[in-house]
Amino acid sequence: MSNKPVNHAKAAEHFLEDAPHLQFHDERLWDMRQKRDAQMHILPEWQELREEASRIKEHTLSRLPEYLEQFETNAKKNGIHVHWARDGAEHNRIVGEILKAHNARNLIKSKSMVTEECDMRPYLAKQGVTVTETDLGERIQQLDDQLPSHIVVPAVHKLTADVAKIFAKDYHTDPNIRDPHLLAEAQRQAARPVILHADAGMTGGNFVVAETGTFVVCTNEGNADLSATVPNLHIATIGIERLVPRMADMGVFIRLLSRSALGSPITQYTTHFRGPQKGGEMHVVLVDNGRSARLGMEDFWTSLKCIRCGACMNTCPVYRRSGGLSYGAVYSGPIGAIIDPTFNERKYSTLPYASTLNGSCTNVCPVKINIHEQLYKWRRVLVQHHEMPFVKREIMHMAGKLMGQPKMYRAAIKATEVSLSTMPRFVLYNWLNPWGKHRENPHPVKQTFNDWYRKNRETAKPAAAPETKK
Amino acid sequence: MKIGLFIPCYIDAFYPDAGIATLELLEKLGQDVEYPLDQTCCGQPMGNSGCNSDAAAAEALFVRNFAKYDKIVMPSGSCTHHVRDNFDAIPQTDEVRHVRENTYELVEFLHDILKVDAFPWAEFNHTVGLHNSCGTLRALRTASMSELGEKPFSKPMDLLSKVKGIRFATPRRPDECCGFGGTFSVTEEAVSARMGVDKVRDHHQAGAEYIVSADSSCIMHQQGCAERAGVPIRFIHIAQILNGAAQ
């Protein structure tokens, strides 16, 4: 994998050039944000729910090993096989071995961000396993060989026409279909035989309950339930941070999850998996993949509270206008920008800068992660770790020096004004001046405030007005 | 109460009228205001970009300039946010703490400290759209935020509604960021400009003749976007309206 920093700004610029996609993307996600607001207004206890969810998650994370062991013990009692994966490679190996032991060649899979993190599909393909995504959006992304662009709605950046084109290629449907129902039906027809003849099913897990040794999967299409119940073998891949201590905690999170994500009161399917079906086998793979290291990061560990609702992405004005793929990472948007650098500091060093630090993400977060404050803190860390490009670093260094010296600073301001009023337009609006690419420069003024004050207050009232007023 | 006036760099260089209006307004309200001549910047650009250690010289100078005042007032929400919440490139002495605890953005100073209930000299016969910068809205909490579903309140609206003749237009996305974001406006130029255009169009479609804000940085960015995109809307700092702007 390349270590080159993701060029978010350039990818975003590309996304912005396509007006129909941009407008659809912005409005679709803003609509989800507005629906979320409406749901929030229905529940007077919304802020208490957020506080409670945050408290439960912080408590769980502070005693994570204890709760993980409790889950393992109880899950085993339920007849679930529990595996531990330190990283992506180990996860893939474990899954590969389970499939091999069952001679399973066809895996149907419900959307899971953790398997994306582990890059599992290419690994299994090499083992001769066919992986079919059962989530509609995720299947579209799979056919188009793209990462999910949103945690909850993976293909949200695509228009109906884009989907029609992809399906025409793989399902031989009419590329001119513009009816989403017909496209969904095409996917259904293509997926059903695969589902019915699958050897194994895989899901993620939204919540893992330590007290009961069970886990909960939430979907809107019911595809996870098909993946989990049609084949006899069910493998669930789950990040270790998805734990909650008690079944009684679930109410808090179930009430928050879909309301925050899509603005619907609840997901259509919220399934509690308690053990293997009759004659079947159930495996849970608990994945660390950098999570325990993140848990040790003083300023960033609370990002592990995330329940993956995507509310921060829906409200983020930068995400809405740059598209999820511009982040060049499994996790995009504000939450991605604080999680991704924990996977690779250099590659994702630009992402904490893909934000205006406006703070809306923090306000919508159902588990109260201080996302925009972590973005700010990441910038400091990245600069300390020399992950800021040299030129930008030098500009800030020089600016810092200048701001400490009033005389030099005054001279610089004068020079700026002179240049703004006298330099020809083509010099101001060339590629060296990003400000002027899509914006006019501020207008030059006759005198600065400082000049005005010296002229109108200092010289007119040499004794200084405040002294005489006392 | 002795007030030290801080005029942020871009107001000094590009919007001196907003600075003058701030000073005159505080004087009209009977305040004892002084403007230390050797001021430069609060350190926000360096702090914001992660180069916090480079903010030290600016922060030290800021403290040298303002430590002797009872209150420090500035017509800028984002600079106030920096001083109050992120001003830590230098050792936190008693002087530094005094400065941080007593720095106010103009609107909150008028609303919370002076509790001004009338601007008899002010008249503004126009329809305005209020732009709350994210610094004032979410960091200083000068208004309620749509994401939190709290009871609506707005300190800048409270003040503006005391001005004769003024009318308000409400955009569809009232507290969406305009995309300035400090160095973001340059490093993510394309997204920044798009956000700015969307913002000014939203206000224009709501019927605003003017966009009024307590932050000149947002104004500078939005004005640049509006002029380039040909959106016929004008911009004014809240201090100018409250001080009785020329019609």
Side-chain angles (χ1 to χ4, degrees):
Chain A
M1 196 167 58
S2 160
N3 233 10
K4 211 175 145 219
V6 171
N7 194 338
H8 178 269
K10 200 175 162 194
E13 194 175 346
H14 185 66
F15 185 80
L16 285 161
E17 280 162 4
D18 184 344
H21 279 85
L22 169 67
Q23 195 183 347
F24 172 79
H25 193 258
D26 176 40
E27 282 177 8
R28 169 92 203 276
L29 293 164
W30 182 252
D31 181 55
M32 281 156 65
R33 156 72 209 276
Q34 285 190 303
K35 285 183 173 138
R36 170 232 172 249
D37 288 0
Q39 288 294 329
M40 165 185 69
H41 287 295
I42 292 171
L43 299 184
E45 69 274 33
W46 185 257
Q47 297 308 333
E48 284 82 43
L49 273 177
R50 287 177 74 218
E51 189 56 48
E52 185 68 0
S54 169
R55 199 192 56 73
I56 294 168
K57 276 287 181 183
E58 287 202 11
H59 164 81
T60 316
L61 289 166
S62 69
R63 295 165 66 174
L64 193 57
E66 205 176 302
Y67 283 121
L68 281 168
E69 281 173 19
Q70 193 189 350
F71 168 76
E72 185 183 32
T73 307
N74 292 328
K76 280 180 175 166
K77 276 186 210 158
N78 296 340
I80 301 173
H81 299 272
V82 180
H83 308 262
W84 301 86
R86 205 168 287 126
D87 52 23
E90 198 168 10
H91 164 266
N92 295 346
R93 201 167 56 240
I94 292 167
V95 173
E97 279 165 13
I98 300 169
L99 294 174
K100 206 171 165 191
H102 288 78
N103 199 23
R105 318 283 290 182
N106 293 301
L107 176 72
I108 50 169
K109 176 178 167 298
S110 166
K111 187 171 79 74
S112 143
M113 298 306 283
V114 179
T115 59
E116 296 290 345
E117 238 181 85
C118 301
D119 224 7
M120 184 192 75
R121 271 186 271 159
Y123 175 88
L124 290 182
K126 272 190 224 146
Q127 312 274 312
V129 176
T130 307
V131 179
T132 309
E133 294 288 345
T134 54
D135 173 273
L136 174 58
E138 191 65 22
R139 179 64 177 162
I140 295 167
Q141 290 307 93
Q142 185 188 12
L143 294 175
D144 206 18
D145 201 21
Q146 281 181 342
L147 280 172
S149 83
H150 186 285
I151 292 181
V152 177
V153 265
V156 69
H157 59 296
K158 284 189 166 76
L159 296 170
T160 316
D162 304 324
V163 179
K165 225 161 106 187
I166 293 164
F167 281 6
K169 186 163 63 72
D170 288 277
Y171 298 158
H172 310 294
T173 45
D174 180 357
N176 299 312
I177 296 176
R178 292 296 176 268
D179 181 352
H181 300 286
L182 288 178
L183 289 169
E185 187 56 28
Q187 152 74 0
R188 197 172 288 127
Q189 294 304 332
R192 281 284 151 91
V194 179
I195 291 171
L196 289 172
H197 297 106
D199 305 314
M202 175 174 254
T203 67
N206 294 75
F207 303 98
V208 175
V209 186
E211 175 189 54
T212 53
T214 62
F215 60 98
V216 180
V217 180
C218 308
T219 70
N220 280 308
E221 296 167 22
N223 59 305
D225 302 85
L226 288 173
S227 302
T229 54
V230 177
N232 268 340
L233 175 62
H234 176 192
I235 306 169
T237 284
I238 307 172
I240 53 170
E241 83 285 15
R242 309 308 287 263
L243 267 175
V244 297
R246 304 166 307 152
M247 187 57 83
D249 302 322
M250 283 312 304
V252 175
F253 293 99
I254 295 297
R255 296 184 82 196
L256 284 167
L257 180 64
S258 195
R259 286 187 167 93
S260 299
L262 303 168
S264 62
I266 196 166
T267 46
Q268 301 292 321
Y269 300 86
T270 299
T271 309
H272 292 246
F273 290 100
R274 308 180 63 90
Q277 51 186 318
K278 219 173 175 180
E281 234 178 83
M282 182 180 276
H283 294 258
V284 169
V285 189
L286 293 166
V287 183
D288 185 324
N289 201 27
R291 285 163 175 77
S292 38
R294 204 184 305 152
L295 193 54
M297 301 172 94
E298 200 189 334
D299 287 331
F300 305 118
W301 70 275
T302 55
S303 64
L304 288 164
K305 292 192 289 180
C306 178
I307 59 171
R308 307 278 189 260
C309 68
C312 61
M313 307 161 99
N314 302 346
T315 201
C316 178
V318 177
Y319 174 88
R320 271 188 269 113
R321 288 173 183 82
S322 54
L325 298 177
S326 65
Y327 293 77
V330 169
Y331 300 103
S332 54
I335 188 69
I338 61 171
I339 288 178
D340 295 327
T342 68
F343 291 114
N344 186 335
E345 250 184 42
R346 171 141 310 157
K347 185 169 183 183
Y348 303 119
S349 56
T350 54
L351 298 187
Y353 292 92
S355 165
T356 61
L357 304 177
N358 62 74
S360 186
C361 46
T362 299
N363 278 351
V364 297
C365 179
V367 287
K368 298 185 102 167
I369 301 170
N370 57 338
I371 303 175
H372 76 297
E373 287 171 6
Q374 291 193 30
L375 287 166
Y376 186 89
K377 283 178 178 165
W378 262 117
R379 295 180 182 186
R380 281 191 183 187
V381 170
L382 291 165
V383 169
Q384 280 160 9
H385 294 184
H386 310 290
E387 297 296 354
M388 184 184 242
F390 179 76
V391 175
K392 282 185 194 166
R393 183 75 196 85
E394 279 303 295
I395 289 171
M396 281 300 147
H397 197 58
M398 290 192 306
K401 274 190 170 165
L402 187 67
M403 299 301 194
Q405 300 173 48
K407 281 206 175 76
M408 268 173 65
Y409 172 78
R410 283 287 137 212
I413 293 261
K414 281 257 169 342
T416 309
E417 276 170 24
V418 169
S419 68
L420 273 178
S421 54
T422 59
M423 270 165 92
R425 201 177 155 87
F426 73 87
V427 179
L428 287 175
Y429 295 107
N430 65 22
W431 62 272
L432 280 170
N433 182 359
W435 179 274
K437 216 169 152 190
H438 293 100
R439 269 174 302 222
E440 293 296 311
N441 276 310
H443 305 281
V445 294
K446 285 195 194 78
Q447 59 184 350
T448 64
F449 178 84
N450 195 286
D451 289 339
W452 176 88
Y453 191 87
R454 283 173 200 268
K455 209 163 109 191
N456 293 281
R457 289 295 190 274
E458 285 295 295
T459 50
K461 289 183 271 181
E467 305 295 329
T468 54
K469 271 188 191 173
K470 262 184 192 167
Chain B
M1 181 167 60
K2 210 169 165 74
I3 297 172
L5 176 66
F6 175 71
I7 297 297
C9 45
Y10 43 85
I11 293 189
D12 178 49
F14 298 122
Y15 297 96
D17 289 350
I20 294 166
T22 304
L23 175 65
E24 287 180 352
L25 177 60
L26 289 168
E27 287 173 343
K28 274 182 194 162
L29 292 164
Q31 298 304 302
D32 183 358
V33 190
E34 234 173 62
Y35 168 81
L37 285 164
D38 273 350
Q39 56 181 279
T40 58
C41 159
C42 65
Q44 189 196 174
M46 286 74 76
N48 220 19
S49 58
C51 304
N52 199 48
S53 58
D54 289 325
E59 290 183 2
L61 177 66
F62 189 92
V63 173
R64 279 206 301 282
N65 274 323
F66 289 104
K68 63 180 172 205
Y69 297 102
D70 301 313
K71 303 278 181 215
I72 299 118
V73 178
M74 53 178 81
S76 163
S78 64
C79 302
T80 305
H81 169 47
H82 179 75
V83 173
R84 197 175 287 171
D85 303 317
N86 293 316
F87 198 85
D88 60 359
I90 50 174
Q92 301 295 296
T93 61
D94 288 345
E95 267 192 334
V96 173
R97 271 197 299 275
H98 167 80
V99 164
R100 293 182 65 174
E101 284 162 17
N102 289 286
T103 291
Y104 291 88
E105 182 270 326
L106 177 67
V107 167
E108 59 178 9
F109 184 73
L110 299 176
H111 189 276
D112 300 349
I113 305 296
L114 297 185
K115 302 186 197 317
V116 182
D117 56 12
F119 300 91
W121 50 78
E123 186 174 346
F124 200 69
N125 292 308
H126 295 283
T127 304
V128 303
L130 173 67
H131 173 72
N132 286 312
S133 76
C134 302
T136 57
L137 181 69
R138 297 196 184 84
L140 307 183
R141 304 216 45 171
T142 55
S144 54
M145 296 170 268
S146 56
E147 305 99 2
L148 294 180
E150 54 200 351
K151 207 171 147 223
F153 72 93
S154 169
K155 295 174 188 178
M157 280 297 232
D158 280 357
L159 298 181
L160 285 170
S161 57
K162 299 181 201 319
V163 172
K164 217 163 98 188
I166 200 163
R167 297 175 303 277
F168 299 101
T170 310
R172 283 172 60 231
R173 302 179 184 182
D175 50 13
E176 171 139 304
C177 173
C178 72
F180 173 65
T183 52
F184 178 86
S185 61
V186 175
T187 56
E188 291 260 356
E189 171 276 329
V191 180
S192 170
R194 178 66 200 206
M195 286 167 69
V197 168
D198 286 350
K199 191 81 207 177
V200 295
R201 286 204 175 117
D202 195 4
H203 275 286
H204 182 246
Q205 277 158 13
E209 298 165 65
Y210 278 86
I211 293 178
V212 56
S213 179
D215 273 75
S216 294
S217 52
C218 302
I219 287 182
M220 179 170 76
H221 160 69
Q222 289 179 34
Q223 187 168 24
C225 293
E227 283 176 11
R228 178 64 64 89
V231 181
I233 198 160
R234 292 196 277 176
F235 295 84
I236 193 163
H237 193 281
I238 192 167
Q240 290 168 272
I241 295 184
L242 299 179
N243 187 47
Q247 295 289 306

